[in-house]
Amino acid sequence: MALNILYRGPEERGQYWQTLFAQNLPHVNWHTWPNVADKDTIDMLVCWIPPREYQQDYPNLKVLFSVGAGVDQLKVNEVPEHIQIVRMLDPGIQQGMTEFVSMSVLNIHRNTLAYVNMNKQAQWQQLPQKRTAEVRVGIMGLGNLGLGAATGLLNLGFKVAGWSKTAKQLSAVECYSGQEQLTAFLQQTDILVCLLPLTDETRGILNHRTLSCLPKGASVINVGRGEHIVEQDLVELLDQEHLRYAILDVFAKEPLDIDHVYWQHPQIWVTPHVAAITQNDSAGQALLGNVQRYLNNQAMLGAVERTLGY
Ligand code: NAP
Ligand code: GLV
């Protein structure tokens, strides 16, 4: 029986991947949502957000592929057990995230936000400047993207620590794990980078209590998901000058409302969920590789552990 893949997403990416599959796996049928003649034939769905009612509409679905590194948007808990969930392990996403985190940490370290604000008032003032070796960056999440970011920051000379669910040992990165080591990790962090997946355990993890554990003058970069942060608590700690800057790429509601307090806040820099974009070429290769593994009865890369939710 032929394998049938249904793609839902931007047209340009769909065409690129359809061509890639036609060249490499010509016996696999590629369909573009919503154009499916026989919905019963669909084996795999490739999407960011699945179509409504997809479980009923495609009753023989076996694999749900996220086009992104995260899977929270698929509502993992609601996907039936017989459908395997696979996330995108795209080297292009990892490279993009390493660039974005490096840029953001450097912008905080080099006072870019302060200089931009001073520019607007034609204010000539030189701020004190530390060396990178004196600045401690703490990364929440030491997965595919956290590890890439850590390498980039080490190359720039920063002191890097990381926090994960399970204990790790990494050369040059001071590793913390579990709830019991979270406070100690935060207390030694000058610039915090959130690169956690969104799960029941991590939703709201950056709140008044945890953010207060950061040393006075610390800054926060959120490139995980908006719901990791309790917005009001972050703004309060910035206003009280316990925190210095926040660079935020992800939000509980996207696009961010035009009247959201973040936009005009002088210590906040907003970017529109662009830290790491799925790259058609490298992500296409990752998808192709996984479909080949599936056809050869091999484990796919990026398979989601349901009990963990990531
Ligand atoms: P990953 O490889 O699954 O790594 C997740 C890391 O988080 C792991 O180190 C894991 O610990 C840790 N973790 C999970 N739950 C935890 C908990 N309760 N306590 C402590 N640590 C916990 O994920 P990834 O590929 O690095 O991606 C991370 C996230 O980045 C994605 O889920 C997505 O939300 C976000 N993202 C954002 C963008 C953007 O453009 N802003 C782009 C791509 C991805 P263990 O190692 O012990 O399992
Ligand atoms: C983007 O946010 C992703 O999860 O890839």
Side-chain angles (χ1 to χ4, degrees):
M1 281 262 285
L3 189 80
N4 285 276
I5 301 179
L6 176 61
Y7 166 82
R8 184 184 197 229
E11 190 180 332
E12 188 212 343
R13 176 178 295 157
Q15 284 170 358
Y16 189 99
W17 287 356
Q18 182 167 18
T19 306
L20 187 71
F21 271 77
Q23 288 166 347
N24 293 279
L25 290 176
H27 51 288
V28 169
N29 299 318
W30 185 273
H31 307 262
T32 301
W33 184 86
N35 306 317
V36 187
D38 183 358
K39 292 181 174 173
D40 289 2
T41 61
I42 296 301
D43 301 290
M44 298 177 159
L45 176 58
V46 179
C47 63
W48 176 246
I49 306 279
R52 273 196 314 140
E53 314 286 331
Y54 72 97
Q55 294 170 22
Q56 290 86 333
D57 284 351
Y58 307 102
N60 294 311
L61 197 63
K62 296 162 191 76
V63 185
L64 183 53
F65 284 108
S66 169
V67 297
V71 288
D72 49 288
Q73 78 286 356
L74 301 176
K75 299 189 171 46
V76 172
N77 296 340
E78 295 172 19
V79 180
E81 291 286 334
H82 69 272
I83 300 179
Q84 197 174 355
I85 306 171
V86 183
R87 67 198 196 88
M88 183 58 80
L89 286 183
D90 167 19
I93 295 181
Q94 193 193 44
Q95 169 69 21
M97 187 57 82
T98 300
E99 286 171 14
F100 189 93
V101 170
S102 303
M103 173 194 76
S104 301
V105 169
L106 280 173
N107 276 329
I108 289 166
H109 171 62
R110 298 306 305 241
N111 296 300
T112 306
L113 247 78
Y115 286 124
V116 167
N117 290 336
M118 284 192 262
N119 264 225
K120 290 180 189 146
Q121 290 156 45
Q123 189 184 345
W124 179 282
Q125 186 192 345
Q126 294 173 337
L127 299 172
Q129 184 60 59
K130 285 184 176 168
R131 293 175 299 119
T132 55
E134 298 171 279
V135 178
R136 302 162 299 177
V137 183
I139 305 177
M140 298 178 92
L142 285 174
N144 194 39
L145 302 183
L147 288 174
T151 306
L153 293 168
L154 286 169
N155 288 339
L156 290 166
F158 289 100
K159 276 191 185 157
V160 180
W163 181 71
S164 54
K165 190 173 173 72
T166 55
K168 301 198 189 309
Q169 274 196 317
L170 300 169
S171 65
V173 177
E174 196 175 340
C175 294
Y176 296 78
S177 60
Q179 281 300 324
E180 57 288 359
Q181 291 183 5
L182 179 56
T183 301
F185 163 76
L186 294 169
Q187 282 172 340
Q188 62 78 62
T189 293
D190 300 314
I191 301 177
L192 181 70
V193 178
C194 177
L195 257 173
L196 291 167
L198 184 65
T199 65
D200 290 345
E201 280 185 21
T202 65
R203 184 172 285 103
I205 195 164
L206 297 178
N207 52 46
H208 202 282
R209 183 183 59 79
T210 52
L211 291 172
S212 299
C213 294
L214 293 166
K216 186 170 165 54
S219 295
V220 174
I221 297 166
N222 189 16
V223 277
R225 288 289 184 255
E227 286 175 68
H228 285 133
I229 291 192
V230 179
E231 295 184 352
Q232 233 181 318
D233 293 358
L234 173 73
V235 172
E236 201 174 301
L237 288 164
L238 286 164
D239 288 343
Q240 291 167 354
E241 294 185 0
H242 180 74
L243 296 178
R244 194 152 161 252
Y245 296 121
I247 295 184
L248 307 174
D249 182 59
V250 283
F251 307 91
K253 180 167 177 260
E254 295 181 3
L256 189 62
D257 284 337
I258 197 150
D259 57 351
H260 197 287
V261 62
Y262 284 167
W263 287 113
Q264 302 303 331
H265 200 290
Q267 294 148 273
I268 295 180
W269 190 338
V270 167
T271 51
H273 200 147
V274 288
I277 308 286
T278 300
Q279 299 297 320
N280 290 351
D281 51 359
S282 48
Q285 292 296 338
L287 181 65
L288 185 70
N290 262 342
V291 173
Q292 280 166 328
R293 276 184 202 91
Y294 178 89
L295 291 169
N296 294 333
N297 290 318
Q298 292 168 334
M300 290 186 279
L301 306 181
V304 169
E305 177 67 65
R306 272 162 186 283
T307 50
L308 298 176
Y310 65 95

